[in-house]
Amino acid sequence: MLNWIGIAAINMAIAVALGAFGAHGLKAMVSTQQLEWWQTATLYWFIHGLGLLLVGILIRLNYATQATAWLLQIGVIIFAGSLYAMTLGAPRWFGAITPIGGVLMIAGWLWLTVSTFRLSNVSV
């Protein structure tokens, strides 16, 4: 079983580093639109890093499954990664990948809902 709490901590460190880079390193180099993409990506990375921390704890307590963590992790990488790539010069059509990450993140939160109901019914 993966250590999702540790993976969450790595995600948070990445979010801080990328947020700082966006705020200090990119500001003078990219357009306002590109900076907004970077900020959106960083916000989602932070939120889902914290979400993964919670999910990691719930997995250890047997209230959630690893599927939730995988969906959130892959989703945020695709979502934020595509926005970061466009900010750094990838073609705009690359943004067509972004919703795939969003759908995976939504699926992760919904899977958490389903799995917590299932697992809580089993332990009652």
Side-chain angles (χ1 to χ4, degrees):
M1 176 160 52
L2 288 176
N3 181 348
W4 285 105
I5 296 171
I7 292 169
I10 291 167
N11 273 272
M12 295 304 292
I14 290 168
V16 171
L18 291 172
F21 179 68
H24 302 291
L26 286 179
K27 206 171 208 176
M29 299 169 47
V30 299
S31 71
T32 302
Q33 176 67 62
Q34 288 170 302
L35 197 55
E36 287 176 13
W37 292 336
W38 194 274
Q39 291 168 343
T40 298
T42 302
L43 175 63
Y44 276 75
W45 206 298
F46 269 119
I47 291 167
H48 286 82
L50 288 171
L52 278 172
L53 179 61
L54 172 64
V55 168
I57 293 167
L58 291 174
I59 288 170
R60 287 204 179 168
L61 296 172
N62 204 29
Y63 284 105
T65 67
Q66 288 200 47
T68 298
W70 278 110
L71 287 165
L72 294 176
Q73 183 67 75
I74 294 168
V76 77
I77 289 170
I78 293 171
F79 180 86
S82 63
L83 292 175
Y84 289 138
M86 286 193 320
T87 301
L88 297 174
R92 284 215 51 179
W93 63 260
F94 207 74
I97 298 168
T98 308
I100 296 168
V103 167
L104 289 172
M105 290 184 291
I106 292 166
W109 293 117
L110 291 174
W111 188 252
L112 178 61
T113 303
V114 169
S115 63
T116 56
F117 281 121
R118 282 185 182 168
L119 293 172
S120 67
N121 286 336
V122 169
S123 63
V124 170

